[in-house]
Structures are given as C-alpha cells and as structure tokens.
Amino acid sequence: MEAQPGRTNRRRFLLIAGLPLLAVGGLTTYAAWPEPNPDKVRVRTDLDPLKSRFGTYVGELTEAHWLGYDMDESPGDRTIPSPDSRIRLVGVARLAAGTAAAIVRNAEYAFTPTVPAAALPAPLEKYLPADAAWQHSPQYDAYVNRPQSDARPSGAYHLDEARDLVHFDLVYLYT
C-alpha cells in the first residue's frame, strides 16, 4: 500500500514544525524549574523570617540580605522530600543603632576578633563589607541557638560594632 502524497506532506510538516515546539517547551520548563543552588537563587530582603528565628536574641533588624535553602535538595531531586531537612540561612543584617556594641560588650559572652570561617555564597558577597571588624563568641552562639519547638539551630553569629551588622550562617534541622 503506497502512502498518499497529501498525507506524507502533512506528516513531514508536523514533524518539522512539532519538534522545535516541543524542544522550546522543554527548555522553557527546565529554565523555569526552581534551583536550590544558593549561587542561583534570589537574595531575599524580607525581615519577618529572620525576626521569627533569631530576632528576639539579636534585637531589631532594620535591613537584611540573605539566602534560605534546603541543603539536602539537589537540582535533580523531584521526589518526596526527606522527613529531615536542613535549611541554611546565611546573610548579613543591620541592627538598630548601638545594638551590636551592647551585645559585644556583654562580658558574659567574651567576644573576640575573628574572620567568619564559612565562605559566603557569591550573590551575598557584595553586601558584606570587606573591612568589617567582626567579633565572635561561641557562648553567644550557644545562647541564640537554643533548640526551638520545631527545629534545632546551629551556626555562628559575627557582629560588627561600628556598622551594627550581624553576619549569620545557620543551619536549622527540622525533624
């Protein structure tokens, strides 16, 4: 049985027109799919999530640039999430005037000059002053990182008295 000329031309047209449309649709879907990679996510400036996590311990936050993402999720993960998730909050926030100095001068915490150990994700680097005089205290970290009802936080807080900044790099384990 021979193919009819009109039917062959229609199939050829659908093949030629349909494949590029499918490819464009697939690429658009891939490009729009959210990525957990911290270097490709949008820098957040909203204060409420930070205030609810540690605002009562560091005082009033007036400005922030930060990232929050699930550390265990990879770009290929499209399955049911793990029952245990580790959420990383990392960034820098401005405190009310004089707050950082008041915290650092509290003898109970024994702050010392330091350089934050963890590398900051690339999107946040421009918000961290290169000449900041960071102070750190393991006792203060322990005070702020007390277990919460839904998570166990861990991480470090570095304070700059002159600029009233707090640099935070935290992991919240939700079980």
Side-chain angles (χ1 to χ4, degrees), residues 32-142:
W33 205 268
E35 293 286 331
N37 183 344
D39 294 331
K40 295 183 179 181
V41 295
R42 176 183 61 86
V43 173
R44 296 179 62 171
T45 57
D46 49 329
L47 300 175
D48 289 338
L50 301 178
K51 287 179 181 178
S52 69
R53 299 290 192 298
F54 57 82
T56 56
Y57 302 107
V58 299
E60 182 184 350
L61 303 173
T62 61
E63 175 186 1
H65 296 91
W66 62 283
L67 298 175
Y69 59 93
D70 188 335
M71 295 174 62
D72 299 319
E73 188 176 309
S74 66
D77 286 346
R78 302 292 179 247
T79 61
I80 297 172
S82 163
D84 297 333
S85 64
R86 295 181 308 152
I87 305 299
R88 181 181 184 201
L89 298 180
V90 58
V92 61
R94 184 166 310 280
L95 304 173
T99 303
I103 295 170
V104 168
R105 291 185 185 141
N106 185 334
E108 177 183 348
Y109 300 127
F111 275 86
T112 58
T114 190
V115 174
L120 204 60
L124 292 173
E125 288 176 354
K126 64 183 173 185
Y127 301 108
L128 199 64
D131 59 343
W134 297 113
Q135 301 278 324
H136 178 254
S137 164
Q139 295 88 341
Y140 185 72
D141 291 346

